[in-house]
Amino acid sequence: MYGFSKFYSKFYKYPLPLLLLSLWLVAVFLLSDRPAHSQHTATSNKEKYQSSLLAKRIMPSTLTENVRKTVLENGLTVLTKEVHTAPVVTVQAWYKVGSRNEEPGVNGIAHQLEHMMFKGTKNRPIQFGRLFSALGSDSNAFTSYDQTAYYGTVERNKLKALLVLEADRMRNSQIEPEQLASEKRVVISELQGYENSPEYRLNRAVMKAVFPNHAYGLPVGGTKADVEKFEVEQVEKYYRNFYSPDNAVLVIVGDFQTANTLETIKEVFGKLPRQEAGVISPSSLSLNTQHSTLNTQHSTLSTQHSILNTQHSTLSTQHSALNTPIVLREPGAGRLLQVVYPLPDANQPDVPALDVMDYILTEGRNSRLYQALVESGLASEVTASVTSLRESGWYELLVTAGAKQDLKKIDSILSSAIANVAEKGVTSEEVERAKTQLAADVILSNRDITSQAMRLGTDETTVGDYRYTDRYLAAVRLVKPTDVVAVINKYLTKEARTVGFFEPTQKRITEVADKPHSAQTTENFSPGAPVLFSEVMKYLPPVDLATDAIAQVLPQEFKLTNGLRILLLPDRSTPTVTLSGYIQAGTEFDPENKAGLAAFVSDNLLNGTKSKDVLTIAKVLGERGASLDFQTYREGVHIEGDSLADDLPILLEILADVVKNSTFPAKELELHRQQTLTDLQQELDEPSEVARRVFVQSIYPKKHPLHTFPTEESLQQIQRQDVIDFKAKHYRPDTTVLALVGDFDLDKVRSLIKNKFGDWEVSGQAPTLKYPPVAMPQKIVSVNPVLPDKAQAVTYMGYTGINRYDPRFHSALVLNQILGGDTLSSRLGAEVRDRQGLSYGIYSSFQALKNVGTFLIEMQTSPEDSSKAIASTRQMLQQIHQQGVTALEVETAKRTLISSYNVSLANPEELTDRILMNEVYGLDKVELHSFTDKIQKVTLTQVNQAARELLHPDQIVVVTAGPSVLAEKSIR
């Protein structure tokens, strides 16, 4: 539901899966092995002039050409952009306040208030999540350094309803003591989830050193110590100070008429008063005058490192010298190196050159630091980001060390590599490649209306100009090699940087093999009455509940003689193409002693073919900013690709080459093995990953295709010939499906695919698997793998469920939406999260695959709350199993599912995936639009029958992974 972000570089939030209807994706993510990425998105240009050609192709007009800015009399800034490609609209309320306006002692108050903004208003004393769900709105919120944003995307006939709700909570939110106490527990649970991550803890220590006297050095989400002390009066004061129309930006993008909508906005928002006289100015940096010193220059900040007096109990040394790393020695898995360089604010002219520099240093296989650190085996991963904010910025590098590699050595090589770039310069080809990638990334990341509105809101609240990205892209096109060297020499100096090491103090578990034991719950819990949906309807703004007719455009399907199936849907709305594919070569085919083999194959497809080596493939892919990625799940390999429309031939050429002609060079395979072993070590340090593994293995017995997971031993067993043989056996055109949506000509693409894939040969029959039947557990099975010193526990509950072809499938979707479809409006969310404050997020799902199904509930809790949350969840299952649900709940859930589905089809990536998986599951292509009719026909009787047949609270596997305190409490 809620979250906080680090601008574009990171989003620290747990997503609200309102678009549950992409069931195949939910299922494969949670039941499959975590997909290993083999993404090659580096870019290059053979000729320098291609940069200008690219600019003309993808920038025929500016991104903001159709944007209209209006300022109401009360100071509210309104940005509107008509996009008539689908009957949906997004409404976003952005406030120019974030953690930048905090100080030690009240750190996290912006994030806490963001949570409270869903608790109801004077006019609507009801959880707003239930109202958004009733509208079918894909809604969420986040807090960042410079802003707090609330956003929802709905069918266009619900635009005014969303506007009414946002206006209501802009000035009428109520902050009640009981609700604040409950939501503080939720926020603390959220923070504990971040505390589980060594990367988060290292970043917090380093940023505190980089900005010792500026709020940018504080964690965006706050600290437990500060959150625990928040009082109603503090949060209310913050709300009054910063939530007003003259400190807000309203962004609307989608299918609407500007003139009519502006009249509605004036009617709804125009009556709200400006900020009251005498309160703190929204532009103020903090809540008191102590932050008058926060505009300290970076040069001053760097000299203050010597007097840093950190209270972090695990810092092994005070940061008393510029070149002395901050060292965290704590339980964890894997060594981490973080380096942060202070940078100027977003409006400074060096920012475009800094971004180009970042792409040259870290983007793709051809990048300088990847070559120096990853290809050499010193590191398994290098990531980086340029953060450009209202008052400052920074360049952040994070290196995950390879097995048994020394962080000091890695840091030395890193510094030498950067110094070498500064000394010898960069090539024109590198600069043009980076510029191309940057421009393409902006276009490809703004294909859906929610992302377009996000871009406008971020630009307007961070730099005060919604046209910032246009200016930025124009400046990027002018960056020269000398500019890149200049910013390296100016900002990436040893004197300016702050370095952090994470050194794990103990080895984590390498295998997960806790013996299940049974237990009966003794928690005395009686769930409250079902959510009264009549109350929801009472407070829902008036809306035309008749949904707009979605254009019944269906994909064109054809099949090659070798069995390859292709689905094509032209869409001229943006000059881009989205590709989605599926190959029946998933981890279900892994040999027991070589678990991880299927992922080994997909991850190494791009590492060389008969005609191209790995660097050439990366270079060709990136010449125009195209991307191609393979992810392995239980039942198949998922292909993801996108490009600008003119570059589709390049994308298809590389895809065809790697699936037909990959050679799996021994050097690349061994490098990948070491990276995978490092990744495995880190995964087994994450409660969510450990809980997932134990949960799946507790449900599905040995010899079952879902039981096997990679281990260090199995990964070491995999040989090159195993990879070659698996690829030859399982990568076949007759088990492959491709779906494309975008700006293309049907006949040309059909001819292109025939040309590229027509000679893909197939022999014999495709391998098949028989999934053995799995019995339900006969009692409650409780398993508690212990991960010492973790701050948050993760629980998985469930058992075998239904597959995609079960006649109860659509009834189960409606039932699930009521039970745990989202974390606010569902029965579980309302009780466990919202009323009791026991969990940051709790969700349920019927994961319906081709061959198997699993019913799953996932939640994150404070360790001390796990027992009560589990007991509450089981009692809720019992209540619905015995008593069923109400007619109003069914109607609301159906409306939510239908609306969310229609909204999802407006996103090209979700639309392409939907088309793909309908074909994979053997469904008629009209399923793309008949799905909503099937949901609409579900009856109360069918849902309650599904509840009786599919909910089994006394035959359930419960797995909770977390700190050792759990073992002492007998989780039930």
Side-chain angles (χ1 to χ4, degrees):
M1 158 59 229
Y2 324 107
F4 58 90
S5 77
K6 293 185 65 182
F7 200 60
Y8 287 130
S9 59
K10 290 188 179 71
F11 276 77
Y12 291 111
K13 69 176 182 179
Y14 194 92
L16 173 64
L18 276 181
L19 298 178
L20 286 179
L21 301 167
S22 296
L23 268 189
W24 71 269
L25 189 57
V26 176
V28 293
F29 270 125
L30 293 178
L31 265 186
S32 70
D33 297 307
R34 174 169 300 184
H37 293 266
S38 180
Q39 191 169 10
H40 294 251
T41 55
T43 57
S44 67
N45 276 25
K46 294 179 180 178
E47 302 290 342
K48 187 173 182 179
Y49 75 87
Q50 287 181 331
S51 178
S52 60
L53 290 180
L54 173 81
K56 292 177 182 177
R57 283 193 298 124
I58 69 175
M59 294 286 288
S61 60
T62 65
L63 292 175
T64 57
E65 183 180 48
N66 298 324
V67 176
R68 177 172 172 179
K69 180 175 181 176
T70 306
V71 180
L72 303 189
E73 290 184 4
N74 60 6
L76 177 68
T77 298
V78 181
L79 301 176
T80 54
K81 180 180 182 180
E82 294 185 26
V83 180
H84 300 290
T85 56
V88 296
V89 63
T90 187
V91 174
Q92 302 183 2
W94 292 68
Y95 295 91
K96 301 175 187 177
V97 60
S99 63
R100 176 181 62 86
N101 304 80
E102 297 173 357
E103 61 187 7
V106 288
N107 181 207
I109 196 168
H111 180 220
Q112 182 69 64
L113 176 56
E114 175 218 312
H115 279 240
M116 298 306 298
M117 288 285 284
F118 286 82
K119 289 296 188 179
T121 66
K122 298 172 186 175
N123 303 321
R124 294 178 175 84
I126 186 173
Q127 166 60 257
F128 265 44
R130 297 175 200 165
L131 299 176
F132 293 135
S133 180
L135 286 173
S137 175
D138 182 10
S139 296
N140 212 322
F142 68 85
T143 305
S144 189
Y145 291 98
D146 292 334
Q147 59 273 113
T148 304
Y150 304 83
Y151 55 96
T153 303
V154 294
E155 295 155 308
R156 65 185 173 193
N157 59 312
K158 298 164 185 174
L159 169 58
K160 184 174 181 180
L162 270 191
L163 292 173
V164 169
L165 292 177
E166 289 300 344
D168 190 17
R169 64 177 175 175
M170 179 176 282
R171 294 306 285 173
N172 299 319
S173 287
Q174 291 194 114
I175 300 166
E176 302 291 346
E178 184 177 347
Q179 291 183 334
L180 177 60
S182 172
E183 203 64 27
K184 281 162 62 174
R185 293 181 71 179
V186 171
V187 169
I188 289 170
S189 174
E190 178 183 354
L191 297 178
Q192 288 172 326
Y194 307 137
E195 288 289 333
N196 281 353
S197 166
E199 176 187 340
Y200 173 83
R201 301 197 303 271
L202 179 61
N203 176 263
R204 180 180 57 194
V206 172
M207 289 301 293
K208 184 176 182 180
V210 175
F211 296 105
N213 296 309
H214 194 291
Y216 286 160
L218 300 173
V220 173
T223 63
K224 179 181 178 181
D226 282 0
V227 171
E228 287 177 331
K229 293 183 293 186
F230 290 155
E231 300 290 342
V232 169
E233 293 75 16
Q234 286 178 296
V235 182
E236 282 182 336
K237 182 179 180 182
Y238 198 88
Y239 175 60
R240 290 195 305 272
N241 286 345
F242 296 108
Y243 279 62
S244 61
D246 49 321
N247 194 43
V249 177
L250 182 68
V251 186
I252 305 173
V253 176
D255 192 17
F256 62 90
Q257 297 299 320
T258 300
N260 294 339
T261 300
L262 284 176
E263 288 302 313
T264 301
I265 291 170
K266 291 175 183 176
E267 171 195 340
V268 173
F269 284 88
K271 57 192 175 186
L272 300 182
R274 284 178 172 268
Q275 186 185 54
E276 300 172 14
V279 300
I280 300 172
S281 167
S283 62
S284 171
L285 214 62
S286 72
L287 297 177
N288 64 29
T289 58
Q290 290 184 8
H291 274 219
S292 61
T293 61
L294 291 187
N295 287 318
T296 312
Q297 298 297 315
H298 292 308
S299 59
T300 307
L301 288 177
S302 63
T303 63
Q304 290 175 339
H305 290 174
S306 61
I307 60 170
L308 173 65
N309 181 24
T310 180
Q311 299 299 314
H312 199 294
S313 62
T314 57
L315 292 184
S316 63
T317 178
Q318 289 189 3
H319 197 200
S320 57
L322 289 176
N323 294 319
T324 301
I326 296 170
V327 181
L328 292 188
R329 291 193 175 95
E330 299 178 344
R335 295 177 175 84
L336 300 172
L337 165 67
Q338 186 162 59
V339 182
V340 176
Y341 299 87
L343 295 180
D345 64 78
N347 268 318
Q348 297 305 309
D350 286 336
V351 170
L354 286 164
D355 280 331
V356 173
M357 171 206 75
D358 174 40
Y359 273 66
I360 291 171
L361 289 180
T362 66
E363 184 66 27
R365 295 292 292 264
N366 292 290
S367 64
R368 297 295 189 96
L369 295 183
Y370 189 98
Q371 289 291 311
L373 297 175
V374 180
E375 290 288 353
S376 66
L378 287 171
S380 66
E381 186 178 24
V382 178
T383 60
S385 62
V386 174
T387 299
S388 303
L389 300 180
R390 186 183 185 97
E391 294 174 359
S392 186
W394 57 87
Y395 185 49
E396 177 181 334
L397 286 154
L398 181 69
V399 183
T400 303
K404 301 179 182 178
Q405 296 295 335
D406 181 67
L407 289 177
K408 291 182 179 179
K409 180 180 180 182
I410 293 174
D411 186 32
S412 177
I413 298 296
L414 173 68
S415 297
S416 297
I418 293 174
N420 184 60
V421 176
E423 179 182 348
K424 297 184 178 180
V426 295
T427 66
S428 296
E429 182 183 23
E430 285 179 302
V431 172
E432 296 306 315
R433 183 168 65 231
K435 289 158 61 174
T436 301
Q437 182 70 64
L438 268 169
D441 281 352
V442 170
I443 300 300
L444 291 169
S445 65
N446 281 275
R447 286 175 289 181
D448 63 281
I449 62 171
T450 301
S451 298
Q452 292 177 43
M454 285 282 181
R455 175 78 60 175
L456 295 172
T458 301
D459 288 350
E460 184 69 20
T461 54
T462 301
V463 298
D465 184 2
Y466 71 90
R467 296 161 297 188
Y468 174 80
T469 297
D470 286 337
R471 293 191 285 109
Y472 167 83
L473 287 174
V476 165
R477 293 197 291 271
L478 300 177
V479 172
K480 303 183 294 294
T482 52
D483 299 326
V484 175
V485 173
V487 294
I488 292 176
N489 285 322
K490 185 175 181 180
Y491 299 107
L492 270 58
T493 65
K494 280 194 172 184
E495 295 74 25
R497 71 185 197 138
T498 301
V499 180
F501 291 171
F502 179 83
E503 296 275 9
T505 57
Q506 66 187 62
K507 188 175 181 180
R508 287 292 188 200
I509 55 174
T510 56
E511 302 294 333
V512 178
D514 288 66
K515 183 178 180 181
H517 61 275
S518 62
Q520 294 298 319
T521 179
T522 57
E523 183 74 36
N524 182 16
F525 168 74
S526 298
V531 177
L532 295 177
F533 279 82
S534 58
E535 289 293 293
V536 176
M537 303 312 294
K538 173 182 174 182
Y539 294 116
L540 196 67
V543 63
D544 178 8
L545 295 180
T547 58
D548 288 297
I550 304 296
Q552 301 290 303
V553 180
L554 296 174
Q556 298 291 311
E557 181 177 359
F558 73 100
K559 187 175 182 180
L560 301 186
T561 56
N562 59 14
L564 178 68
R565 289 167 287 166
I566 301 99
L567 298 107
L568 305 174
L569 182 61
D571 175 8
R572 309 288 184 181
S573 60
T574 63
T576 64
V577 175
T578 302
L579 179 149
S580 190
Y582 176 96
I583 303 174
Q584 191 176 319
T587 62
E588 62 185 5
F589 291 111
D590 275 350
E592 185 177 357
N593 65 332
K594 295 179 180 178
L597 175 58
F600 248 67
V601 175
S602 67
D603 293 347
N604 285 278
L605 289 172
L606 289 160
N607 284 345
T609 66
K610 297 174 183 177
S611 61
K612 301 178 185 69
D613 64 16
V614 59
L615 294 182
T616 301
I617 291 173
K619 194 172 182 181
V620 171
L621 260 181
E623 283 182 346
R624 300 289 179 99
S627 70
L628 185 61
D629 186 25
F630 296 87
Q631 297 178 346
T632 303
Y633 298 105
R634 287 292 181 186
E635 291 187 342
V637 174
H638 189 224
I639 306 167
E640 295 177 354
D642 55 33
S643 72
L644 301 172
D646 290 350
D647 301 321
L648 179 58
I650 294 174
L651 188 63
L652 291 174
E653 177 186 339
I654 294 297
L655 174 59
D657 191 21
V658 299
V659 297
K660 293 187 298 183
N661 305 313
S662 51
T663 55
F664 305 107
K667 176 187 174 184
E668 297 297 336
L669 282 177
E670 191 54 40
L671 181 63
H672 176 73
R673 187 197 315 276
Q674 297 309 313
Q675 294 170 349
T676 304
L677 288 168
T678 300
D679 291 343
L680 176 64
Q681 185 182 28
Q682 293 182 320
E683 287 174 10
L684 295 181
D685 184 51
E686 298 177 7
S688 59
E689 174 66 18
V690 173
R692 183 177 67 89
R693 282 187 171 224
V694 176
F695 173 75
V696 172
Q697 292 184 328
S698 298
I699 293 176
Y700 299 102
K702 288 185 178 181
K703 307 301 182 183
H704 191 282
L706 293 187
H707 184 86
T708 305
F709 282 85
T711 65
E712 182 176 346
E713 182 181 7
S714 73
L715 293 173
Q716 294 286 12
Q717 291 288 328
I718 297 172
Q719 302 300 312
R720 179 171 182 265
Q721 192 60 46
D722 298 322
V723 176
I724 294 171
D725 293 345
F726 188 98
K727 161 69 166 50
K729 183 178 181 180
H730 296 284
Y731 280 66
R732 306 165 52 96
D734 55 344
T735 63
T736 299
V737 183
L738 298 179
L740 288 94
V741 173
D743 187 7
F744 54 75
D745 178 88
L746 274 171
D747 292 335
K748 289 181 179 179
V749 171
R750 188 182 289 113
S751 175
L752 182 64
I753 291 175
K754 282 184 179 179
N755 180 262
K756 297 299 181 184
F757 293 90
D759 61 350
W760 190 4
E761 297 179 354
V762 61
S763 61
Q765 296 297 312
T768 58
L769 275 177
K770 185 175 181 180
Y771 275 60
V774 177
M776 288 281 294
Q778 295 304 303
K779 54 188 175 182
I780 301 170
V781 178
S782 181
V783 192
N784 312 131
V786 173
L787 282 79
D789 302 300
K790 290 299 182 183
Q792 186 190 64
V794 176
T795 297
Y796 277 48
M797 306 171 63
Y799 37 77
T800 55
I802 59 174
N803 65 23
R804 179 59 181 86
Y805 310 107
D806 193 293
R808 298 167 294 183
F809 173 72
H810 296 93
S811 299
L813 287 184
V814 177
L815 171 64
N816 183 74
Q817 182 65 26
I818 296 168
L819 171 66
D822 70 63
T823 199
L824 288 182
S825 65
S826 65
R827 289 271 196 103
L828 287 175
E831 178 62 35
V832 179
R833 185 206 187 281
D834 203 41
R835 189 180 76 82
Q836 297 188 65
L838 298 177
S839 175
Y840 170 47
I842 181 167
Y843 313 96
S844 65
S845 62
F846 286 93
Q847 301 171 354
L849 299 176
K850 288 178 66 176
N851 297 305
V852 74
T854 303
F855 172 68
L856 170 69
I857 298 171
E858 179 189 3
M859 71 179 87
Q860 311 90 41
T861 60
S862 297
E864 60 271 17
D865 289 335
S866 296
S867 293
K868 187 174 182 181
I870 292 167
S872 298
T873 299
R874 284 194 53 245
Q875 290 290 337
M876 185 62 71
L877 290 173
Q878 188 75 47
Q879 184 184 75
I880 296 179
H881 171 75
Q882 293 176 345
Q883 302 173 20
V885 298
T886 68
L888 271 174
E889 285 180 302
V890 170
E891 290 307 309
T892 302
K894 286 160 56 175
R895 190 159 55 246
T896 298
L897 291 171
I898 290 170
S899 182
S900 295
Y901 182 84
N902 289 336
V903 168
S904 76
L905 295 186
N907 184 308
E909 292 181 352
E910 294 190 52
L911 173 61
T912 311
D913 285 340
R914 173 68 57 183
I915 292 170
L916 174 78
M917 295 312 294
N918 283 345
E919 177 66 25
V920 168
Y921 288 141
L923 306 175
D924 193 293
K925 62 182 180 180
V926 300
E927 175 74 13
L928 185 66
H929 298 295
S930 64
F931 176 87
T932 55
D933 293 334
K934 294 176 181 178
I935 292 293
Q936 186 59 50
K937 291 176 181 177
V938 172
T939 66
L940 173 64
T941 300
Q942 291 172 326
V943 174
N944 283 334
Q945 181 178 349
R948 290 191 297 273
E949 296 174 355
L950 300 178
L951 300 184
H952 306 286
D954 296 324
Q955 295 175 274
I956 193 166
V957 172
V958 182
V959 177
T960 301
S964 56
V965 65
L966 293 166
E968 302 166 8
K969 299 185 108 181
S970 184
I971 301 300
R972 300 181 172 97

